[in-house]
Amino acid sequence: QCRFIFPDNLLGISWVDSSWIPILNNGSVLDYFSERSNPFYDRTCNNEVVKMQRMTLDHLNQMVGVEYILLHAQEPILFIIRKQQRQSPTQVMPLADYYIIAGVIYQAPDLGSVINSRVLTAVHGIQSAFEEAMSYCRYHPSKGYWWHFKDQEEREKTKPKAKKKEEPSSIFQRQRVDALLLDLRQKFPPRFVQQKPGEKPIPVDQIKKEPEPVPEAVKPEEKETVKNSQSAGAKGPPEKRMRLQ
């Protein structure tokens, strides 16, 4: 049974054959590794040549090419198999290591893959931290920058909301608003007028202008009587005047 996670990357593949697990030991683990369904096994290796010619594994030391050897064994749980390039009976170059845990075969990652994975994990963590920090950052032209955290929102929800007092307007604001309203009224005079609340607005053209009251004509006789009364009131009665000696 072969479980593929990333088909193009052997580091993401695991392979197991449950029928071999009960009989795995130092002598059978290489035969188990050389199964045809195992994706880690190279068919062009020297092990396959020795197997086809029915020779012992001791002949691998006299050959040149790719071979698989049992590097470490801890029966029945752990086996480590190395893939290496043999250049002479005494000189080999390691290519890859595979470890078998409870019958499941994995490829051991190389140092470059380990460093790459650790760096990507660290960068991802730092990037996530920066993104979360930026989500709490707020800015307003009048206030500047500040932090707004989630626990602060919960505290604000639990706190009783106090009614905000409206600040009274200044004299400058009132005068400025009145001037603007007057300017707008002159530029855009109203077309409809609502004489009483609740009534339908009426166009300004349909409103009848009441004639201004004409001042009543005053008779000349009445004017003289009014003048006499005013002069008499100013002079006062003759009896109360002081006599001059």
Side-chain angles (χ1 to χ4, degrees):
Q1 182 182 359
C2 182
R3 291 173 291 183
F4 289 91
I5 301 175
F6 301 103
D8 298 334
N9 186 7
L10 294 178
L11 296 177
I13 296 175
S14 64
W15 181 85
V16 61
D17 189 350
S18 57
S19 62
W20 280 80
I21 295 177
I23 59 174
L24 276 180
N25 52 43
N26 295 351
S28 62
V29 67
L30 285 175
D31 295 331
Y32 172 60
F33 190 84
S34 62
E35 282 287 328
R36 292 187 177 276
S37 58
N38 182 11
F40 303 109
Y41 185 66
D42 187 1
R43 305 295 171 201
T44 62
C45 64
N46 293 338
N47 297 65
E48 192 72 14
V49 176
V50 170
K51 186 177 179 181
M52 294 291 290
Q53 296 180 3
R54 297 182 180 181
M55 296 186 296
T56 61
L57 295 177
D58 297 334
H59 290 81
L60 291 175
N61 297 334
Q62 308 300 325
M63 303 176 68
V64 177
V66 178
E67 63 182 21
Y68 293 92
I69 63 169
L70 178 61
L71 185 64
H72 177 75
Q74 186 178 347
E75 296 181 3
I77 299 298
L78 176 62
F79 300 93
I80 299 177
I81 295 176
R82 171 166 290 179
K83 179 182 181 181
Q84 59 187 12
Q85 177 75 32
R86 181 169 292 277
Q87 299 175 357
S88 67
T90 58
Q91 187 177 4
V92 293
M93 181 176 63
L95 299 177
D97 289 337
Y98 306 91
Y99 53 92
I100 304 173
I101 300 177
V104 183
I105 302 177
Y106 305 91
Q107 180 175 350
D110 57 292
L111 182 60
S113 300
V114 173
I115 295 175
N116 188 24
S117 176
R118 295 293 186 270
V119 170
L120 288 177
T121 303
V123 170
H124 176 72
I126 295 172
Q127 185 176 2
S128 300
F130 272 113
E131 291 177 355
E132 186 174 0
M134 289 301 297
S135 65
Y136 299 138
C137 181
R138 300 291 186 272
Y139 174 76
H140 193 271
S142 61
K143 297 181 180 179
Y145 289 95
W146 76 93
W147 298 102
H148 188 76
F149 298 99
K150 294 181 180 180
D151 55 350
Q152 185 177 357
E153 294 181 357
E154 296 177 357
R155 292 176 185 175
E156 291 178 356
K157 289 180 181 179
T158 55
K159 286 182 180 180
K161 295 182 179 179
K163 294 182 178 180
K164 295 182 179 179
K165 296 182 180 180
E166 296 183 357
E167 296 181 359
S169 60
S170 62
I171 299 175
F172 172 76
Q173 292 175 341
R174 291 194 294 270
Q175 292 178 352
R176 186 60 181 167
V177 171
D178 293 341
L180 292 174
L181 292 176
L182 182 60
D183 188 19
L184 290 174
R185 182 180 177 85
Q186 293 176 355
K187 290 182 178 179
F188 308 100
R191 298 181 180 179
F192 296 88
V193 176
Q194 188 178 13
Q195 296 180 348
K196 293 182 181 180
E199 293 183 354
K200 186 177 180 180
I202 303 173
V204 179
D205 301 337
Q206 297 180 7
I207 297 177
K208 295 181 180 180
K209 295 184 179 180
E210 296 181 358
E212 297 180 356
V214 180
E216 296 180 358
V218 181
K219 296 180 180 181
E221 296 178 357
E222 295 179 355
K223 288 183 180 180
E224 291 180 358
T225 56
V226 170
K227 289 182 179 179
N228 294 332
S229 62
Q230 289 179 353
S231 62
K235 294 180 179 180
E239 291 81 8
K240 294 182 180 180
R241 291 181 180 177
M242 295 179 63
R243 294 181 180 180
L244 298 175
Q245 294 178 358

